[in-house]
Amino acid sequence: EVQLVESGGGLVQPGRSLRLSCAASAFTFDDYAMYWVRQAPGRGLEWVSSIDWNGGSIAYADSVKGRFAISRDNAKNSQYLQMNSLRAEDTALYYCVKGRGPYFDHYGMDVWGRGTPVTVSS
Amino acid sequence: IVMTQSPLSLPVTPGEPASISCRSSQSLLHSNGNNYLDWYLQKPGQSPQLLIYLGSNRASGVPDRFSGSGSGTDFTLKISRVEAEDVGIYYCVHALKNPFTFGPGTKVDIK
């Protein structure tokens, strides 16, 4: 069964940094694009970032561009989200999501992890 | 691309049909014939699960009471006979190109 396990969330002060990790299993990781999607408390879903199968193409939501950096290590079946200059509005549950193909345009998502919570507060 | 859904709240009776509409501000129909529109269900306390992809294809393991239809900018998710386990928030999302935007969600609960 495909499994995605996020880690690295927690309570952090505004302006500080946090690095999220996602460990994938039970599928050929480097065949698929990966995504990060977040959900603020009591709110809907917001796409954050995408990375294609080999990291050659990356995209960010405007709300995080210049502050967040997505990456992946295919040898470790893992993806990461480096979050810098965190703001209160970044508070959310961050989901790691598997793509349905090697690229993110024209493919979409399928399996989601359980999420890791990030709280930005002083 | 802006995604809208209606209704935002949908009380349902078990055994009865239900329908949710999703509209996009731009056509999601690609020249390859695919409509890049997916449907997810987020059950209470759980992560979203894929129900329908490319507008009308049921994901693996999804009961056949769920169906998706539509093309271009107008899409519909239908549940032929609602069951108690179908409660939750239904989201549409486009997969055409980044940024990938979700609809606001439709909360389905039992009357």
Side-chain angles (χ1 to χ4, degrees), chain A residues 30-61:
Chain A
D30 56 9
D31 276 352
Y32 298 94
M34 296 294 294
Y35 302 73
W36 289 97
V37 176
R38 67 185 180 184
Q39 187 169 33
R43 305 292 295 274
L45 301 168
E46 180 189 16
W47 167 76
V48 173
S49 184
S50 305
I51 186 167
D52 74 357
W53 68 281
N54 68 351
S57 186
I58 285 172
Y60 299 100

Side-chain angles (χ1 to χ4, degrees), chain B residues 24-100:
Chain B
S24 58
S25 61
Q26 296 178 31
S27 177
L28 303 182
L29 176 61
H30 191 269
S31 56
N32 62 15
N34 289 327
N35 280 284
Y36 287 94
L37 187 283
D38 301 335
W39 289 96
Y40 286 88
L41 165 59
Q42 185 173 31
K43 295 182 179 181
Q46 296 186 19
S47 304
Q49 58 186 89
L50 180 65
L51 293 177
I52 302 289
Y53 64 96
L54 297 179
S56 61
N57 298 279
R58 266 191 307 277
S60 176
V62 174
D64 61 7
R65 63 180 180 274
F66 291 95
S67 64
S69 63
S71 184
T73 60
D74 292 310
F75 299 88
T76 302
L77 176 71
K78 292 182 179 177
I79 310 173
S80 59
R81 293 174 305 280
V82 173
E83 297 190 5
E85 65 181 24
D86 299 336
V87 298
I89 302 177
Y90 289 77
Y91 295 94
C92 62
V93 58
H94 82 82
L96 189 61
K97 57 183 178 179
N98 74 82
F100 305 104

